[in-house]
Amino acid sequence: MQQEQSPVGSGFSKGEVYHLLRQGFGMEEFRLGQAEVVRAIGMARPTIAVMPTGGGKSLCYQLPAALMPGTSLVISPLISLMRDQVLALRARGYAAGHLDSNQDYEERAAVEQRLADGKLKLLYVSPERLQAPRFMELLSQVSVPFVAIDEAHCVLRWGHEFREAYLQIQPFLEQLRPTCIAAFTATATPELREELGEALGMRDPDLFVHGFFRPNLKLEDRRLQNEVGQMRQLVSLVQQREGKAPALIYAATRQKTENAAAALQEAGLRAAFYHAGMEGEARSRVQDAFLADELDALIATSAFGMGIDKPDLRLLVHLSMPRSFEDYYQEIGRAGRDGSEARVVLLWLGKDYRTQDFLIQQNEDLAQRAAAQRRLHRVYEALQSNLCLWRRLLEYFGDPDVAQVVPSCGSCARCAASSGVARELSAQERQLAEQFLRALVAQEDQRRSYGRRKFLDILRGSKAKGIPVQAPGYADAQGCPRQLAESLLQAMMDAGWVGTTGSEYPVLTATPIARHLLADGDSSAWQLPLQEVTTAASSTTRSSSTDRAAVSAQDLPPELDGEAGDRFQRLRLWRARTAAAQGAPAYVIATNKSLTAMAVMCPQSEEELLLVPGFGPKKVSRFGAAVLAILAGEDVEPSMS
Ligand code: ADP
């Protein structure tokens, strides 16, 4: 892979870049974001690139290194990954080598000799090697124009994967002074990126974030009341999964991996567990069976998965609330690698928050503990809300592709369940929406921020005590009915125009979408899923009042969202019609408690239905068939007897 070399920092020509991409690396096109990163490095800009695992970060430093004179360095903490990459590069005729602490003397001496002779284009080093005086001495004899730092988030003291050795990088770079530095990571959130640049001594870096949206991963989340219901759902998910590949199930503790495997085996499924407490041999046996599709399900702790590249996983389940979106994203990324659809289901229990928080409390470092709690809280908040899960993830990682998923991602159960399709606003609604957004922007410009309730009180010109009458927007929407104001604000939040910050007392913020809407003024962009206001006002003709009372979404129990919420609504509608047909009060047919349990547990047989509280043999014989049919998704007539 011999290339002509341009002076460092003058930019690469498009021709040379594409020639190398196709001839040298055997790839047709860049993926989203890659070309921009390569261009920035070519211009010797300090660069931070945030792309998910598998997104193609290595090409972003390998290709520039091949186009530059001298030897470029890649600092990486993962020795096995370094070795793999060096082997792959060599196979393509690229002069690459690596230095790490696992090498023996001779191996290391040979690499050092090639470096000293100027025969290496790219040298991978582990961060520990940077401290060796001999290494710096060697580098002083060669030209090193470019240093790439892989897994750069490891430099963040309060991050989730901090590594002491990464603190050596900044003084090392200070001494080496390469022309260009680029940092790569899959997980730095917007709050941490600035810190990341500073920790590596980068001045005013260019930032690139791309590729987090994976529309083939269909996300679902269900909050369950107890482990019995959780196992029941797990069994049915594994039974119904598509394809031959096993389901991959993540559990938080070793004990839980073993319990879940036992529950699946009892249901006649081929299940095995995997955790760090097992002997090496047993672990490889399980891993081999998993790779050979000899299992229906593998239940593992997070110890499983590094380096596993099975492309055809169609079902991935989490059995507890993840500690952070970083962990969650990394784990779900193991499903659907071949690009075909995969189901990713989070079955969590209310007590998970406390369990995770308890584990966090065991860390004695106060700042690390606080950071871990913030990460956990972000996950909890997202699961509590009804918003699109993909949007939450993309916002968390600060991926601008979030614009693609608004108002609906088409790839999470929440979006699938909400019939809230966006529609163009009426003139009055649009005027109100504009007033809200202008007020919000003006408040932000004055560094004022308010929670949701206070914001609405301000806009509606409340005279109550504590309402700041000087706040921008005060009384702009005077006379607007509270319900309309609330629904409109909710729809703007759902559509990503209005965001919130702060966890304990969240305050409203205007998002870039809001500012864009106000600046642009294109009327087709003013579309919102404003469904509740309109159905309340105009749906009198089609459905009867019984039906409307039964399907109002206002009073859903909090554990019911996504598919369970949908099931609950259908059960409630059937109950209302049955009660009306029989002239009996609804609770006589089934209590709310029973309906909630049915919706959550989703029983599939009369025996299972008997486990629902308040549903004894008599009720099962009267209503069992109807309930099971509803849960199976069928349309059912009201029960007459
Ligand atoms: P990361 O380091 O971001 O986890 P990798 O650099 O290992 O990801 O890339 C993941 C896979 O994608 C590799 O098999 C790589 O060869 C492939 N890949 C990267 N960029 C492209 C591209 N532009 N076209 C085709 N394949 C690519």
Side-chain angles (χ1 to χ4, degrees):
M1 214 186 280
Q2 274 302 315
Q3 292 297 317
E4 285 196 16
Q5 291 161 355
S6 333
V8 178
S10 62
F12 306 133
S13 84
K14 205 170 167 183
E16 66 181 349
V17 166
Y18 273 87
H19 179 76
L20 184 55
L21 178 72
R22 291 179 182 145
Q23 304 305 318
F25 287 89
M27 294 170 187
E28 262 320 290
E29 264 310 324
F30 281 114
R31 289 195 185 143
L32 196 65
Q34 284 179 325
E36 296 147 86
V37 175
V38 168
R39 193 176 314 124
I41 294 172
M43 301 299 291
R45 292 284 311 148
T47 301
I48 298 180
V50 187
M51 291 179 188
T53 307
K57 288 183 282 296
S58 36
L59 180 73
C60 297
Y61 53 77
Q62 291 169 350
L63 195 150
L67 289 172
M68 288 194 202
T71 307
S72 295
L73 293 187
V74 181
I75 302 171
S76 165
L78 304 169
I79 294 177
S80 60
L81 193 134
M82 287 203 253
R83 289 173 181 239
D84 290 351
Q85 291 205 358
V86 167
L87 285 178
L89 286 169
R90 284 209 191 138
R92 292 199 164 274
Y94 193 122
H98 64 96
L99 286 175
D100 65 60
S101 34
N102 285 5
Q103 278 166 318
D104 61 28
Y105 174 79
E106 275 168 28
E107 232 181 315
R108 191 176 306 158
V111 179
E112 289 178 352
Q113 190 57 51
R114 289 176 68 209
L115 172 65
D117 294 344
K119 288 195 175 137
L120 284 180
K121 215 63 247 143
L122 194 60
L123 176 63
Y124 284 77
V125 282
S126 57
E128 289 77 11
R129 296 297 310 156
L130 305 179
Q131 298 160 50
R134 161 130 185 89
F135 184 57
M136 199 35 123
E137 200 184 296
L138 263 170
L139 289 185
S140 65
Q141 299 165 25
V142 291
S143 135
V144 182
F146 170 44
V147 177
I149 300 122
D150 204 5
E151 310 290 341
H153 60 280
C154 293
V155 76
L156 295 167
R157 260 192 185 282
W158 324 128
H160 68 305
E161 284 178 340
F162 171 64
R163 281 172 185 252
E164 197 77 38
Y166 262 61
L167 297 181
Q168 302 301 324
I169 298 178
Q170 194 262 336
F172 168 80
L173 293 172
E174 194 71 18
Q175 203 181 343
L176 185 71
R177 297 195 167 275
T179 313
C180 180
I181 303 171
F184 294 84
T185 172
T187 67
T189 57
E191 298 97 79
L192 294 179
R193 280 172 204 148
E194 208 170 310
E195 203 179 317
L196 193 151
E198 273 169 25
L200 293 170
M202 299 168 98
R203 279 179 204 89
D204 187 24
D206 286 354
L207 172 70
F208 301 94
V209 187
H210 267 305
F212 282 88
F213 185 34
R214 305 249 323 259
N216 65 316
L217 300 186
K218 306 293 172 190
L219 307 184
E220 295 167 52
D221 62 302
R222 304 179 196 164
R223 179 176 171 165
L224 302 171
Q225 265 161 342
N226 53 43
E227 261 132 13
V228 178
Q230 189 183 43
M231 285 307 128
R232 209 188 304 278
Q233 295 224 359
L234 180 64
V235 168
S236 106
L237 283 166
V238 173
Q239 280 167 339
Q240 290 166 17
R241 81 185 189 286
E242 308 253 326
K244 279 204 316 265
L248 177 55
I249 323 276
Y250 279 107
T253 62
R254 296 175 184 182
Q255 186 62 49
K256 184 114 186 192
T257 63
E258 298 186 11
N259 294 351
L264 290 171
Q265 283 163 1
E266 247 169 62
L269 291 157
R270 298 167 303 165
F273 57 85
Y274 182 105
H275 56 65
M278 290 158 64
E279 302 242 317
E281 205 181 304
R283 282 209 307 241
S284 2
R285 234 188 355 258
V286 169
Q287 187 163 321
D288 290 347
F290 175 80
L291 292 173
D293 293 342
E294 287 163 10
L295 294 172
D296 290 311
L298 176 65
I299 304 95
T301 57
S302 54
F304 183 82
M306 278 285 261
I308 293 287
D309 194 10
K310 189 162 169 47
D312 56 346
L313 299 186
R314 300 270 80 86
L315 174 66
L316 190 139
V317 181
H318 279 93
L319 291 178
S320 77
M321 181 197 300
R323 295 184 298 180
S324 66
F325 275 135
E326 283 88 346
D327 290 287
Y328 179 67
Y329 191 87
Q330 182 138 31
E331 286 162 4
I332 68 173
R334 303 201 169 111
R337 289 213 168 162
D338 54 9
S340 297
E341 276 192 14
R343 212 167 161 191
V344 174
V345 188
L346 170 55
L347 300 177
W348 63 289
L349 301 168
K351 65 174 187 184
D352 289 346
Y353 185 88
R354 260 176 293 134
T355 312
Q356 295 283 23
D357 193 48
F358 173 79
L359 294 174
I360 291 171
Q361 298 297 338
Q362 309 311 305
N363 188 336
E364 283 173 8
D365 184 320
L366 233 145
Q368 280 187 5
R369 211 159 67 203
Q373 269 168 331
R374 274 198 300 279
R375 287 194 288 271
L376 175 64
H377 197 79
R378 290 287 295 270
V379 177
Y380 185 61
E381 244 180 358
L383 294 181
Q384 293 283 75
S385 85
N386 290 321
L387 284 187
C388 165
L389 273 182
W390 266 116
R391 205 178 104 201
R392 282 298 174 114
L393 273 173
L394 298 181
E395 278 171 355
Y396 185 77
F397 290 113
D399 189 329
D401 296 345
V402 71
Q404 279 183 38
V405 307
V406 171
S408 162
C409 71
S411 288
C412 80
R414 294 170 173 206
C415 286
S418 90
S419 49
V421 179
R423 61 173 175 83
E424 205 162 310
L425 299 182
S426 70
Q428 185 212 4
E429 288 163 346
R430 155 114 192 238
Q431 189 192 359
L432 260 178
E434 259 194 78
Q435 279 169 340
F436 280 27
L437 295 184
R438 284 197 198 289
L440 203 51
V441 169
Q443 288 169 4
E444 276 187 1
D445 291 347
Q446 291 188 13
R447 298 187 171 274
R448 291 166 180 256
S449 49
Y450 304 101
R452 199 173 157 133
R453 178 184 287 259
K454 204 167 208 173
F455 176 81
L456 289 179
D457 283 343
I458 292 169
L459 269 286
R460 294 174 66 246
S462 161
K463 299 207 168 50
K465 223 171 113 194
I467 301 300
V469 294
Q470 290 88 8
Y474 183 79
D476 278 0
Q478 202 155 27
C480 166
R482 175 135 211 138
Q483 202 209 343
L484 173 62
E486 272 175 3
S487 308
L488 185 67
L489 182 60
Q490 182 62 53
M492 291 202 282
M493 294 174 82
D494 290 350
W497 301 1
V498 175
T500 56
T501 69
S503 46
E504 207 175 345
Y505 301 107
V507 292
L508 302 180
T509 57
T511 66
I513 303 178
R515 289 175 189 267
H516 178 77
L517 278 166
L518 291 174
D520 188 9
D522 174 3
S523 70
S524 65
W526 291 82
Q527 298 206 4
L528 282 177
L530 237 186
Q531 145 224 31
E532 268 165 31
V533 174
T534 44
T535 39
S538 67
S539 66
T540 43
T541 45
R542 280 205 358 253
S543 47
S544 74
S545 60
T546 328
D547 288 2
R548 269 206 319 287
V551 297
S552 121
Q554 309 284 336
D555 53 345
L556 267 189
E559 61 272 40
L560 290 174
D561 42 25
E563 282 187 8
D566 190 43
R567 286 194 288 273
F568 183 81
Q569 302 279 35
R570 283 186 286 117
L571 287 166
R572 195 154 56 159
L573 180 56
W574 161 81
R575 179 181 66 176
R577 288 176 171 169
T578 302
Q582 300 193 3
Y587 67 84
V588 172
I589 312 294
T591 60
N592 272 351
K593 197 170 163 196
S594 300
L595 292 194
T596 306
M598 287 171 193
V600 171
M601 289 159 55
C602 197
Q604 299 190 350
S605 64
E606 296 204 338
E607 293 82 70
E608 289 182 9
L609 200 51
L610 277 171
L611 296 173
V612 167
F615 231 67
K618 255 195 184 157
K619 288 219 171 140
V620 170
S621 75
R622 270 179 84 189
F623 303 126
V627 168
L628 291 174
I630 293 165
L631 292 174
E634 292 166 30
D635 281 333
V636 171
E637 290 297 312
S639 304
M640 302 306 282
S641 61

